[in-house]
């Protein structure tokens, strides 16, 4: 039986490979191993985490750890090369755009092992983003491209990729979102850290908004951070906001002496199910996250993206996402439109139906 290595380096990557694991199990014609490069250590990735995803714990943990982009990429390459030379797979599947995606793709290709890239073809056009470099390099050497939206097809064709290698399959993140949302219906959410916040809003008949910010371009500059926070503080005078704060963001808020004011509830980073339980019922989500742009579109939740560009244009063209940059006036104006009942009416993009992983496995079974 042919064996595929499924590569993940950080918690969000496991959300993407989980539906593929479930689809591979259901198919039964391909073997697989889950490879955790250890790019990010996450204390919340325990037995319960994998149980929630409906997948086994990783078969291999490489413990690559942190460091600069070059150090991290180099450590992952060395460890993955040793693994592939010891236990050679028939194919390597990588997801997204983290350093593990890039590193393991390069190693596999140099060992003449075919590479499948899930979420292929996404482009922001912003070469200051490390993720953009990782996407471009991975797609330059991959063999099979699994695409989530029409822009991905256009970019790959423009870059000379053969039509037969490009597969428009939908989105595995949406597969996982729908899977977890269904589980959430049957789950007691009262123990979640944010359950009291939600309950208080519901008891008082008021709506709330959710904030996430973590991109260096937003949180590493005191000037930009102050502009964004000034908008959030103004919004919070009209709408209660809750902010699960990324450690990098928290550190910079303290370093820059930026005050969030009394109407923004600050909590720590949330586990997937707890965070889904929070944002799915929000009147608006304000974020600079790529994945959250897609997930809000899938569930029809209004999303304000605090970035100058997006590699996921389908969320703006068809979905519930509005791209506003970091202009406080625009941020406030777009939220007020939502509060007036004038939120953009989006729709769920084609093939975002929870069956993307099944399509990917069918293609891989045929190709291998």
């Amino acid at each position: 039986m042919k064996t595929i290595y499924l590569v993940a380096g950080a918690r969000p990557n496991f959300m993407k490979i989980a539906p593929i694991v479930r689809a591979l199990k259901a198919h039964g014609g391909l073997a697989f191993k889950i490879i955790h490069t250890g790019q990010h250590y996450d204390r919340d990735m325990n037995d319960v985490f994998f149980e929630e995803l409906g997948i086994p714990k990783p078969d291999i943990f490489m413990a690559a750890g942190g460091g600069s982009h070059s150090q991290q990429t180099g450590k992952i390459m060395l460890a993955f090369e040793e693994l592939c030379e010891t236990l050679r797979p028939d194919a390597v599947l990588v997801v997204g755009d983290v350093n593990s995606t890039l590193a393991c793709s390069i190693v596999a290709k140099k060992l003449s092992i075919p590479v499948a890239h899930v979420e292929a073809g996404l482009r922001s056009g912003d070469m200051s983003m490390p993720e953009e470099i990782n996407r471009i390099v991975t797609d330059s050497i991959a063999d099979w491209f699994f695409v989530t939206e029409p822009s991905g097809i256009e970019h790959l064709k423009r870059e000379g990729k053969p039509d037969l290698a490009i597969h428009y399959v939908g989105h595995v993140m949406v597969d996982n979102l729908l899977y977890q949302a269904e589980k959430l219906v049957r789950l007691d959410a009262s123990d979640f850290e944010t359950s009291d916040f939600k309950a208080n809003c519901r008891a008082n008949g008021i709506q709330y908004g959710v904030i996430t910010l973590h991109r260096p371009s937003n949180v590493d500059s005191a000037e930009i951070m102050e502009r964004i926070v000034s908008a959030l503080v103004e919004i919070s005078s009209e709408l209660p906001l809750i902010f699960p704060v990324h450690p990098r963001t928290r550190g910079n808020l303290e370093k820059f002496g930026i005050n969030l004011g009394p109407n923004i509830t600050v909590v720590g980073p949330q586990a997937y199910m707890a965070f889904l339980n929070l944002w799915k019922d929000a009147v608006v989500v304000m974020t600079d996250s790529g994945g959250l742009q897609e997930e809000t579109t899938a569930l029809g939740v209004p999303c304000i993206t605090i970035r100058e560009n997006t590699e996921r244009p389908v969320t703006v063209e068809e979905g519930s996402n509005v791209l506003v940059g970091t202009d406080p006036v625009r941020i406030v104006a777009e939220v007020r439109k939502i509060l007036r009942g004038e939120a953009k009416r989006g729709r769920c993009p084609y093939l975002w139906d929870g069956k993307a992983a099944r399509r990917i496995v069918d293609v891989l079974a045929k190709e291998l």
Side-chain angles (χ1 to χ4, degrees):
M1 189 180 289
K2 302 289 187 179
T3 299
I4 302 172
Y5 280 180
L6 308 175
V7 175
R11 182 163 57 157
N13 295 160
F14 285 97
M15 313 297 178
K16 297 172 185 177
I17 69 163
I20 300 171
V21 170
R22 296 192 293 264
L24 283 165
K25 284 183 172 181
H27 184 276
L30 294 168
F32 66 90
K33 289 187 181 296
I34 302 172
I35 314 300
H36 184 1
T37 67
Q39 177 176 327
H40 290 164
Y41 171 74
D42 191 327
R43 62 182 176 81
D44 291 325
M45 278 176 47
N46 48 30
D47 290 348
V48 174
F49 172 79
F50 293 103
E51 286 170 15
E52 283 186 349
L53 291 176
I55 64 172
K57 292 178 69 174
D59 298 280
I60 307 288
F61 179 69
M62 299 196 313
S68 70
H69 285 286
S70 297
Q71 290 169 334
Q72 190 176 72
T73 302
K75 286 188 287 186
I76 294 168
M77 289 179 71
L78 288 170
F80 192 62
E81 181 179 58
E82 182 178 348
L83 173 64
C84 288
E85 287 180 331
T86 305
L87 295 167
R88 184 184 177 91
D90 297 287
V92 169
L93 182 146
V94 295
V95 298
D97 49 27
V98 298
N99 288 340
S100 298
T101 306
L102 168 72
C104 295
S105 298
I106 292 172
V107 168
K109 285 302 290 184
K110 290 204 170 187
L111 294 175
S112 299
I113 301 168
V115 174
H117 185 202
V118 174
E119 283 190 314
L122 298 180
R123 302 287 183 268
S124 69
D126 183 357
M127 291 298 287
S128 69
M129 293 175 63
E131 298 91 342
E132 183 76 351
I133 297 165
N134 291 345
R135 293 179 202 118
I136 291 171
V137 175
T138 300
D139 282 340
S140 72
I141 58 176
D143 296 275
W144 304 301
F145 308 92
F146 295 107
V147 180
T148 61
E149 61 168 272
S151 72
I153 299 173
E154 294 165 11
H155 294 139
L156 292 169
K157 286 187 173 183
R158 191 180 307 121
E159 292 164 11
K161 305 301 180 288
D163 289 354
L164 289 176
I166 302 171
H167 304 277
Y168 187 12
V169 293
H171 204 339
V172 291
M173 275 295 276
V174 175
D175 289 15
N176 189 63
L177 172 64
L178 299 178
Y179 178 86
Q180 302 293 347
E182 184 179 338
K183 290 186 72 171
L184 190 58
V185 172
R186 304 187 297 273
L187 191 69
D188 179 8
S190 60
D191 289 338
F192 292 152
E193 179 186 2
T194 58
S195 60
D196 286 346
F197 174 86
K198 275 190 71 173
N200 288 336
C201 288
R202 189 179 296 116
N204 290 297
I206 55 177
Q207 299 173 309
Y208 66 89
V210 174
I211 308 162
T212 79
L213 291 170
H214 74 282
R215 290 203 175 271
S217 59
N218 280 340
V219 305
D220 287 358
S221 162
E223 179 185 356
I224 293 174
M225 192 77 153
E226 285 170 355
R227 291 171 63 192
I228 295 170
V229 169
S230 70
L232 300 177
V233 169
E234 185 172 347
I235 293 163
S236 71
S237 66
E238 306 170 36
L239 177 74
L241 299 179
I242 186 165
F243 190 176
V245 182
H246 188 280
R248 181 190 195 112
T249 308
R250 186 185 290 272
N252 284 339
L253 284 168
E254 293 172 359
K255 181 170 75 173
F256 301 146
I258 297 174
N259 185 1
L260 294 171
N263 300 320
I264 299 178
T265 299
V266 175
V267 294
Q270 300 294 296
Y272 185 85
M273 292 291 268
F275 187 51
L276 171 58
N277 183 61
L278 180 66
W279 69 256
K280 73 180 180 65
D281 296 318
V283 69
V284 62
V285 173
M286 291 167 280
T287 188
D288 57 12
S289 161
L292 201 47
Q293 294 173 55
E294 294 171 322
E295 290 187 305
T296 49
T297 276
L299 293 189
V301 177
C303 179
I304 304 296
T305 296
I306 303 174
R307 284 174 51 185
E308 302 297 337
N309 51 58
T310 179
E311 63 284 351
R312 294 157 165 92
V314 75
T315 64
V316 176
E317 294 162 1
E318 299 182 25
S320 57
N321 185 25
V322 178
L323 197 64
V324 297
T326 59
D327 178 4
V329 175
R330 278 208 70 195
I331 296 170
V332 173
E334 290 295 336
V335 172
R336 283 180 175 154
K337 280 171 63 176
I338 292 167
L339 296 181
R340 290 196 304 267
E342 300 170 8
K344 178 182 176 188
R345 293 188 179 277
R347 65 180 179 86
C348 197
Y350 177 56
L351 294 183
W352 288 23
D353 56 4
K355 301 174 183 176
R358 197 181 309 170
R359 296 182 188 105
I360 290 169
V361 170
D362 285 345
V363 171
L364 291 175
K366 180 182 175 182
E367 294 289 346
L368 291 173

